[in-house]
Amino acid sequence: MKAAVLKSFGSPLVIEDVPDPTIGTGEVIVDVVATRVLSYMNEVLDGTRNYALDLPIVPGPGGIGRVRAIGPDATRLAVGDWVFCDPTVRSRDDCVAPDIALQGLTAAGPGGMLLQKHFRHGSFADQMRLPTENVKRLGAITSEEATRWCALGTLLVPYGGFLAADLRPGETVLVSGATGNFGSAAVSVALAMGAACVVAPGRNEKILDDLVRRFGDRVKPVRLTGNEDDDRESMRRAAPGPIDCVFDIMPPSVSPTVVRAAVMTVRAYGRVVLMGGVGMAGGAGLELPYPWIMRNCISIHGVWMYPPDAASRLIAMVRAGQLRLEEYQATAFDLDHANEAVEHAAANGGPFKMTVIRP
């Protein structure tokens, strides 16, 4: 089969023929039809993000495809089914604290690297092998619709955060990083889950206006100034009442003071979800006052990805019309132009934009 292979950090992807994946018990082979390219994939491939990858490797986290082959433990999947390939691979020998690897992207710790040695190759290829439980049925779609369904990979990240925070209908949410690719997805997911109001802070007024245009007056935009105390007060005033949940998805380049301003808007007994990258590239970490956390009974949830059943639940929300994949504008490349796709994604990573490879 044809694949885009990363052989060394900082080098272009090599488009070449590699052996077809072979199936084992507990595994599924999928023909990849469409896979999204992360806006920061260039930083993964050149080593800037220092992601754990055992090279050479076929990158690409998740995608949309059709089942080619199933193992003997699959009882619902059938050859030809349209499926979402969930890249969050978990070890099966510890249900309490499983090791995790993001197939085709990175791994956490020594256990995650062991997983990556087997489920190592991602979706920038004609085919990929996944654990059976990571293959989620979509129902009937067309090949053209597969491109749009790639948005699941973006939407699932904030969905996992809100599930961890037990977001409930009628609550008020603040999304720190609302003008970014994952942050704008968080706005749409929070509203789909029944949030009464989403406070959306940011510096880009054009994007803030676009969020209001898309979702109406349940979105309350706040233009940030860079002054921590003033911004915190502006965010609180924008909310119609106490802020129940703060969701942070800021990238590594952002100052922790920006994140702290947002986090400390949450009400007493409120919840904070940290899914961003502050501190991952070095520099100061996020400092929060111990007395404020303790006396206000603040719950802080560090969340990486989402629970195993999240993808199926999110697919059901899309099918029910609660989430609109039509919000996303996609630009597609074939596999031979994977390097161009990575460059395009880096230059066009705004809200509701996708770069997709269609092998």
Side-chain angles (χ1 to χ4, degrees):
M1 69 171 184
K2 185 188 293 185
V5 184
L6 178 65
K7 298 193 174 184
S8 63
F9 290 112
S11 298
L13 295 169
V14 178
I15 314 303
E16 63 182 13
D17 288 329
V18 300
D20 291 350
T22 56
I23 195 169
T25 300
E27 297 174 354
V28 174
I29 304 295
V30 173
D31 289 323
V32 180
V33 176
T35 175
R36 88 193 197 285
V37 182
L38 296 171
S39 61
Y40 56 86
M41 198 67 184
N42 61 321
E43 297 180 3
V44 175
L45 302 183
D46 68 16
T48 299
R49 292 233 171 184
N50 199 30
Y51 277 15
L53 288 171
D54 185 15
L55 305 183
I57 198 168
V58 177
I64 305 298
R66 303 194 78 170
V67 173
R68 169 178 282 263
I70 56 176
D73 61 336
T75 61
R76 305 292 177 89
L77 288 170
V79 172
D81 279 351
W82 282 99
V83 292
F84 168 67
C85 302
D86 183 351
T88 310
V89 178
R90 297 172 175 85
S91 59
R92 294 165 170 165
D93 52 356
D94 187 345
C95 62
V96 176
D99 289 302
I100 293 178
L102 298 185
Q103 189 171 357
L105 189 63
T106 190
M113 291 302 292
L114 286 175
L115 284 174
Q116 189 184 96
K117 287 183 180 300
H118 185 68
F119 294 107
R120 62 183 296 97
H121 295 313
S123 53
F124 291 6
D126 289 331
Q127 300 172 27
M128 65 183 299
R129 174 180 60 192
L130 300 104
T132 303
E133 63 269 24
N134 285 58
V135 179
K136 314 293 187 179
R137 291 184 299 168
L138 293 175
I141 65 171
T142 66
S143 178
E144 292 72 23
E145 290 172 332
T147 297
R148 184 182 299 158
W149 277 91
C150 286
L152 282 178
T154 302
L155 294 162
L156 270 167
V157 173
Y159 185 52
F162 289 132
L163 288 176
D166 191 25
L167 179 62
R168 300 176 184 180
E171 291 192 318
T172 293
V173 175
L174 185 146
V175 175
S176 174
T179 56
N181 188 253
F182 283 102
S184 58
V187 173
S188 63
V189 169
L191 293 172
M193 293 176 71
C197 169
V198 176
V199 178
R203 297 185 182 226
N204 190 317
E205 291 189 40
K206 182 178 179 181
I207 294 177
L208 293 175
D209 290 343
D210 183 63
L211 289 171
V212 175
R213 180 189 65 81
R214 290 174 186 270
F215 301 113
D217 59 9
R218 289 165 70 193
V219 175
K220 306 298 183 185
V222 178
R223 189 179 185 282
L224 297 177
T225 66
N227 181 289
E228 183 176 351
D229 293 334
D230 291 347
D231 287 341
R232 182 182 299 116
E233 186 58 31
S234 295
M235 288 184 273
R236 283 175 173 156
R237 284 201 306 266
I243 295 172
D244 302 290
C245 177
V246 172
F247 174 89
D248 177 75
I249 194 71
M250 284 290 196
S253 58
V254 170
S255 167
T257 61
V258 177
V259 177
R260 183 169 59 236
V263 166
M264 293 187 68
T265 64
V266 76
R267 64 168 171 83
Y269 298 90
R271 294 98 70 205
V272 174
V273 178
L274 302 179
M275 294 193 82
V278 167
M280 291 179 63
L286 177 62
E287 295 184 1
L288 294 172
Y290 188 114
W292 173 78
I293 297 171
M294 181 266 292
R295 291 172 180 166
N296 290 287
C297 300
I298 305 298
S299 298
I300 299 177
H301 302 264
V303 185
W304 193 37
M305 304 306 285
Y306 39 82
D309 65 341
S312 296
R313 294 168 67 175
L314 197 69
I315 290 166
M317 290 173 65
V318 173
R319 288 298 190 187
Q322 292 170 267
L323 272 173
R324 288 175 41 85
L325 301 182
E326 292 82 3
E327 298 288 346
Y328 284 85
Q329 178 184 1
T331 302
F333 294 79
D334 60 29
L335 189 56
D336 287 329
H337 294 87
N339 287 297
E340 289 87 341
V342 171
E343 292 176 6
H344 182 274
N348 298 272
F352 306 108
K353 292 182 179 179
M354 279 195 303
T355 301
V356 172
I357 293 175
R358 292 184 57 97

